[in-house]
């Protein structure tokens, strides 16, 4: 596969890119928005292109289908793309895969305390919303949704308890080290006995976490090979997750109990002495504390890299600094999409988003539709074949983070809906396919974007499809990238110009 650099593409009327194959009957652009923590440029193009190639080769056994990669100039933008010619009985389809790459914009833009505050606030808001009616402004009016209140309250309470436990354990560890250093080894409560007890308490956290890490590593190996996860691995992952969650809470409770006991019975001044490091921490306890510290560093990186992206983008609805950053993310992805729509000369376009990228893709398509309504971009709706979301938290963002509707805020909500044509009128919607898995804690069936009472519901509703292969808990969130449950309907949407209502 030899890359071709900077083929200049003019307007939609004078596009000409030399190819080694015959002229395809149709040209389709796939624009992908990557999710949280995805840092490598062109990685999203690579994953989607390979998924489409695998499915196209499966459907066309014996046919040689090879991709071409190219940098092209579309208007004022230079974009990379993967090009695939998919054989089809109605004529070959020329498919170009682009990406909206926004990862560098969020790097280092949020502090750990801001991410933790965001997560605690989300958990609290989710718990309180679960015990009252949940309303959204859709299609010109308020829609009330039923919630599984007790289950939601339990899930959010567990999440808050685990998050609080981890924060508490790390705070205790840092406080003890700081107290020992500040006291030059002399303390009435940081004693070898206390440190030993706390070390034993941390085993409730460390051992299950190690088991979870091993099970997760095995799961990623299975996913990388594209195989179906054995039942033993599925069961082992669930056990490790349950033990890790409960172990964090038990560890925090035990540490708190022993700290209270140490504070209630401090040593007499004459018995304090000056503890040496080798007296205070035995080698085995020291290894344990080093392990906890290393795990803390890894967890901190993970939280900032992944949850940090979510906090930045979703906090933008309230916090001015992050609002500007969220707009920049949308500008990058929307700018690439506008260039493809305005200068690519494609018959149809498909917008795709994974994880947080599905929220970005949803916002981008809404902005493009607003551009069409304002007359700055032509035929967006007519030329948009589909919006495809997978591993999407859009239902959770609607429930947790968007400004909640209230009966006295109908003007505000109507204006907010005007910026989202996808929930203003079913006539604005292309096909919307959502691939999800119950084993994925981030994704969900998208239910808060539809109203069955509205005209056009049967044609325009979100078409939720479970991924039967995404069964490993938590790891299911990344398994869609190689799943036929995503690429089979995606390829069908690409190669067919229309389909019967209600099918995906």
């Amino acid at each position: 596969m030899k890359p071709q650099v900077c083929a200049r593409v003019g307007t939609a009327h004078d596009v000409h890119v030399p190819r080694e194959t015959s002229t395809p009957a149709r040209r389709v652009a796939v624009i992908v928005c990557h999710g949280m923590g995805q840092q490598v440029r062109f990685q999203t193009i690579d994953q989607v292109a390979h998924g489409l190639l695998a499915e196209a080769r499966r459907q066309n056994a014996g046919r040689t289908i090879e991709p071409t990669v190219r940098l092209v100039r579309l208007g004022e933008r230079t974009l990379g793309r993967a090009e695939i010619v998919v054989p089809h009985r109605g004529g070959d389809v020329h498919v170009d895969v682009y990406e909206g790459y926004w990862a560098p914009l969020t790097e280092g833009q949020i502090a750990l305390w801001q991410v933790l505050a965001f997560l605690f606030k989300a958990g609290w808001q989710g718990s309180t919303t679960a015990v009252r009616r949940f309303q959204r402004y859709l299609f010109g009016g308020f829609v009330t949704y039923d919630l599984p209140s007790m289950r939601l309250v339990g899930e959010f309470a567990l999440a808050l308890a685990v998050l609080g436990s981890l924060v508490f354990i790390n705070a205790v560890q840092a406080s003890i080290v700081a107290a020992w250093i500040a006291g030059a080894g002399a303390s009435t409560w940081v004693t070898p006995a206390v440190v030993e007890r706390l070390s034993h308490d941390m085993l409730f956290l460390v051992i299950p976490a190690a088991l979870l890490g091993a099970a997760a590593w095995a799961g990623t190996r299975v996913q990388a090979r594209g195989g179906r996860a054995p039942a033993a691995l599925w069961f082992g992952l669930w056990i490790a997750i349950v033990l890790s969650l409960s172990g964090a809470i038990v560890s925090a409770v035990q540490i708190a109990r022993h700290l209270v006991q140490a504070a209630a019975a401090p040593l007499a001044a004459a018995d304090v002495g000056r503890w040496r490091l080798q007296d205070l921490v035995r080698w085995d306890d020291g290894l344990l504390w080093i392990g906890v510290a290393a795990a803390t560093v890894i967890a901190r990186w993970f939280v900032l890299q992944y949850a940090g992206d979510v906090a930045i983008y979703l906090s933008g609805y309230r916090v001015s600094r992050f609002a500007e950053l969220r707009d920049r993310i949308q500008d990058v992805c929307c700018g690439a999409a506008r260039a493809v729509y305005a200068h690519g000369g494609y018959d149809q376009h498909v917008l795709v988003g994974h994880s947080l990228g599905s929220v970005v893709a949803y916002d981008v398509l809404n902005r493009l539709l607003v551009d069409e309504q304002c007359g700055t971009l032509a035929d967006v709706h007519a030329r948009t074949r589909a919006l495809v979301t997978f591993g999407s938290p859009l239902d959770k963002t609607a429930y947790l983070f968007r400004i909640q509707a209230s009966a006295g805020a109908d003007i505000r909500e109507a204006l907010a809906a005007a910026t989202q044509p996808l929930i203003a009128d079913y006539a604005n919607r292309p096909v919307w396919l959502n691939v999800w898995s119950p084993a994925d804690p981030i994704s969900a069936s998208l239910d808060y974007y539809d109203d069955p009472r509205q005209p056009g519901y049967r044609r325009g509703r979100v078409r939720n499809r479970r991924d039967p292969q995404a069964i490993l808990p938590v790891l299911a969130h990344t398994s869609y990238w190689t799943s036929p449950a995503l690429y089979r309907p995606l390829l069908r949407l690409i190669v067919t110009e229309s389909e019967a209502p209600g099918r995906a």
Side-chain angles (χ1 to χ4, degrees):
M1 178 174 58
K2 184 178 179 180
Q4 300 182 28
V5 180
C6 275
R8 177 170 288 277
V9 180
T11 67
H13 303 288
D14 61 6
V15 173
H16 177 69
V17 179
R19 305 184 65 88
E20 298 175 1
T21 60
S22 59
T23 303
R26 292 172 51 246
R27 303 182 72 244
V28 179
V30 178
I31 306 165
V32 189
C33 297
H34 66 76
M36 54 189 178
Q38 197 158 347
Q39 299 298 309
V40 181
R41 185 181 291 274
F42 304 136
Q43 179 66 27
T44 312
I45 295 177
D46 179 85
Q47 290 174 299
V48 173
H50 275 107
L52 290 173
L53 277 168
E55 184 60 28
R57 288 165 178 165
R58 187 191 68 81
Q59 295 183 13
N60 296 274
R63 296 285 296 271
T64 300
I65 307 175
E66 296 296 336
T68 299
V69 296
R70 194 191 312 264
L71 292 178
V72 294
R73 187 75 173 176
L74 299 179
E76 298 302 316
R77 288 182 176 267
T78 300
L79 300 174
R81 73 186 184 198
E83 304 175 351
I84 308 168
V85 177
V86 179
H88 185 59
R89 61 181 178 273
D92 291 350
V93 181
H94 169 176
V95 183
D96 291 341
V97 183
Y98 298 89
E99 72 175 357
Y101 182 66
W102 52 266
L105 296 176
T106 60
E107 194 69 19
Q109 296 298 312
I110 191 169
L112 180 62
W113 71 267
Q114 291 173 306
V115 180
L116 294 176
F118 167 83
L119 294 175
F120 276 114
K121 182 178 180 181
W124 176 254
Q125 182 167 322
S127 301
T128 55
T129 304
V131 298
R132 64 177 188 265
R133 293 192 307 169
F134 172 56
Q135 290 187 318
R136 293 244 300 153
Y137 192 95
L138 304 173
F139 308 109
F142 289 100
V143 180
T144 302
Y145 295 94
D146 294 327
L147 298 173
S149 300
M150 295 307 298
R151 179 177 65 83
L152 282 176
V153 170
E155 289 175 353
F156 283 114
L158 176 62
L160 287 173
V162 172
L163 183 60
S165 297
L166 294 174
V167 172
F168 172 73
I169 292 169
N170 282 277
V172 168
Q173 185 184 34
S175 298
I176 287 179
V177 173
W180 184 80
I181 294 175
S187 174
T188 60
W189 66 281
V190 182
T191 66
V194 170
V195 172
E196 184 175 4
R197 288 178 183 174
L198 299 186
S199 299
H200 293 164
D201 295 338
M202 289 183 184
L203 288 174
F204 289 103
L205 171 66
V206 174
I207 292 177
L211 293 175
L212 178 59
W217 178 85
T220 56
R221 296 302 92 196
V222 170
Q223 286 185 347
R225 293 196 301 269
R228 187 172 182 84
L233 179 57
W234 176 88
F235 184 75
L237 257 174
W238 272 116
I239 292 296
I241 289 172
V242 171
L243 289 177
S244 295
L245 296 178
S246 58
I249 297 173
V250 171
S251 179
V253 170
Q254 286 292 95
I255 289 173
R257 184 170 70 88
H258 286 139
L259 287 177
V260 170
Q261 291 176 353
L267 295 177
D271 299 325
V272 170
R274 303 196 53 91
W275 307 112
R276 297 173 301 171
L277 182 60
Q278 57 266 40
D279 295 329
L280 187 66
V281 182
R282 301 180 312 178
W283 70 269
D284 52 346
D285 291 338
L287 290 178
L288 177 62
W289 280 57
I290 292 172
V292 173
T296 299
V297 172
I298 295 173
R300 181 182 184 278
W301 173 86
F302 184 86
V303 167
L304 287 174
Q305 199 72 27
Y306 291 88
D309 285 352
V310 177
I312 286 172
Y313 194 81
L314 298 180
S315 294
Y317 288 92
R318 292 181 180 272
V319 183
S320 58
R321 176 194 171 199
F322 294 141
E324 181 181 355
L325 190 51
R326 183 202 69 208
D327 289 343
R328 289 174 59 195
I329 293 171
Q330 290 185 12
D331 288 343
V332 166
C333 297
C334 203
R338 283 194 186 103
V340 174
Y341 271 82
H343 303 290
Y346 296 99
D347 300 288
Q348 292 184 324
H349 304 76
V350 178
L351 275 78
V352 180
H354 170 248
S355 187
L356 180 60
S358 68
V359 185
V360 179
Y362 171 85
D363 289 339
V364 165
L365 182 52
N366 277 312
R367 287 180 65 169
L368 294 178
L369 290 169
V370 170
D371 286 347
E372 179 184 26
Q373 294 171 0
C374 295
T376 57
L377 191 61
D379 301 326
V380 173
H381 177 262
R383 293 188 292 145
T384 301
R385 178 70 177 98
L387 170 64
V388 178
T389 55
F390 59 106
S392 175
L394 272 164
D395 248 32
K396 292 179 171 63
T397 63
Y399 175 72
L400 291 174
F401 306 119
R402 307 281 183 168
I403 298 174
Q404 298 298 313
S406 60
D410 53 334
I411 294 177
R412 183 197 73 192
E413 293 298 327
L415 287 171
T419 67
Q420 302 176 65
L422 291 174
I423 60 171
D425 191 333
Y426 276 118
N428 296 325
R429 281 195 187 178
V431 174
W432 186 346
L433 172 67
N434 177 60
V435 181
W436 71 289
S437 168
D440 177 5
I442 295 175
S443 75
S445 170
L446 301 186
D447 302 320
Y448 299 153
Y449 292 81
D450 283 318
D451 183 358
R453 302 169 301 176
Q454 297 297 319
Y457 165 75
R458 287 183 58 81
R459 181 198 62 81
R461 74 189 188 282
V462 180
R463 304 171 186 186
N464 291 295
R465 177 188 292 264
R466 282 194 183 188
D467 185 346
Q469 294 188 10
I471 62 172
L472 292 180
V474 181
L475 297 181
H477 186 62
T478 59
S479 66
Y480 309 105
W481 288 108
T482 57
S483 175
L486 170 65
Y487 293 107
R488 191 169 299 145
L490 175 57
L491 187 63
R492 183 160 64 246
L493 287 168
I494 288 171
V495 299
T496 58
E497 295 188 65
S498 62
E499 58 185 11
R503 297 181 58 189

